[in-house]
Amino acid sequence: VTHPDPVNLALHALGGLPADDHVQSCPQCRDELARLMRVVEVARQAGPEQLDQPTAHVWDGIAAAVGDSAVPAAAANGHGVLPPGALGQAVPAPDQAGPAHAGSTPSQAGSVPSQAGSVPSQAGSVPSQAGSVPSQAGSAPGQAGSAPGQAGSAPGQAGSVPGRAVSVPGRAVSARGRRRPRRRVVAGLAGLAAGLIIGVGGTAGVIQLTGSPAPRVIAEIRLNPLPQFPQWQGAAGIAVMRATAGQPVIAVTLQAPARPGFYEVWLLARNGVSMISLGDLNAGHTGTFSVPPGTDLRNYSRIDVSLQPFDGSTVHAKDSVVRGSLPPAA
Amino acid sequence: MPADGTGTLLTDPEVAAAFSKGQPDALALVYQRFGALVYTIALRSLDARADAEDVTQQVFVSAWRSRDSFDPGRGTLGGWLVAITRNKVADVLRERQRQSRVLLQAAGGATMTAPEIPSDQVVDRLVLADELAQLPESQRLVMALAFYSDLTHGQIAKVLRLPLGTVKSHIRRGLQRLRSRLEADGDTP
């Protein structure tokens, strides 16, 4: 008996290929297929799942309970913030990640455990301490994560914060924009861990946003580099726009190198000046965004992804990585 | 293979081996690798952050104290920790039930529903999410797109600028790996 290529079984389990006659009649292949399909079913049950990171004092409590026997020197001698610190060192960062490592030294981590443990719910204290970390931490490529203390807010987050409309020459400032520097710094510490997980959810966060497994795709838009930005000629992206019960949702996936700064997604108006910020891509260079209510997509008909420096400015940095146009009907 | 999601640079069997030998930093490694999974199962099952944190602490403290009873030959460390987590969660739910029974009796009596245990589906989904997070980045993106987007494998290859053969082998190996983990550590057989 020649069994089909295992690749075909996998693709069939995902729904991308019809099963052939052999699979139907071969008990071995049928069993294999059923097991693979169960994985797909579990994965798709509720859309992308994301694990929440416990806050640092959870580990502190464990370390205190078991004593020195089980706790490495770094965690036992007062730098009890194992998860963020350890991850920062353990995870090899993408290009140019030196600053991320610098940001995850124990110096700031060491300030946590003194309060941790005694306060039942001090999630807020983690970000605020992290905020005092030297700013270069914020330039880690994995800036998109949520802080450990904010675990659980991640994948839908971008989508739930519809951008404020700003126009390029202006100095538009939004509440969201003002928060940015701290959030970057916080995320710089945790982002390497959390952001990468979000990478899974980001592409597909649309499913969680809408609560239905397969919202209708309105448009699939290729995003291409622009001739006037030769430095981005290797980049590419895709934006998938879907209809939901509420506002249309746009899921963006970017293929581009990790660079200092972060990638931000915009809707550009026909006049080339007005634009709406949809939000930032996560460390996996994906993001899912709700189109702000009232947006006229016939006017704001182009999707642009920019590289933004960590300067706290909310305006487009005029460094466009890729761009694409919505089809007229969308 | 580096785990670029949660955790450590060690493979799960290496973490398990360090743990069962009782190496000095083993519990920290285990917590790094499985802390988020244990905590999230507890959080989703109990819907209360403080309870989930308590359970997480109990799970790791009790895992460390009873590490001699963990046999790497009989199952995975992840599966063992998930089982402990389920027990601790069930304890909390029983205690909640007891308290509400007391309250209900004081209020004049009423019928009680059976305590819930962490749903198998929740555990399975989170185990799967945990394993997805362990995949190398490009494989993880391929799997995410394969599961959650409408893109075909051909389109995935184009979007990620990967050769079609690479995408196919990522899908095949990724699915196999997720399946092994789910069958080892998940709850539904």
Side-chain angles (χ1 to χ4, degrees), chain B residues 11 17 20 38 68 71 76 79 85 96 99-100 106 116 120 124 128 181:
Chain B
T11 64
S20 61
V38 166
D68 290 343
D71 177 0
T76 59
T85 308
R96 283 186 190 171
Q99 285 174 1
S100 62
E116 322 134 61
D120 291 344
D124 281 349
L128 204 63
R181 175 78 193 281

Side-chain angles (χ1 to χ4, degrees), chain B residues 147-174:
Chain B
F147 283 143
Y148 305 116
S149 78
D150 298 332
L151 303 181
T152 65
H153 53 282
Q155 289 168 320
I156 293 172
K158 265 195 231 149
V159 168
L160 299 179
R161 298 208 161 182
L162 292 170
L164 186 60
T166 305
V167 167
K168 284 180 169 180
S169 89
H170 275 340
I171 286 178
R172 179 175 69 80
R173 292 204 206 122

Side-chain angles (χ1 to χ4, degrees), chain A residues 70-88:
Chain A
V71 182
N77 68 8
H79 305 141
V81 191
L82 181 72
L87 284 168

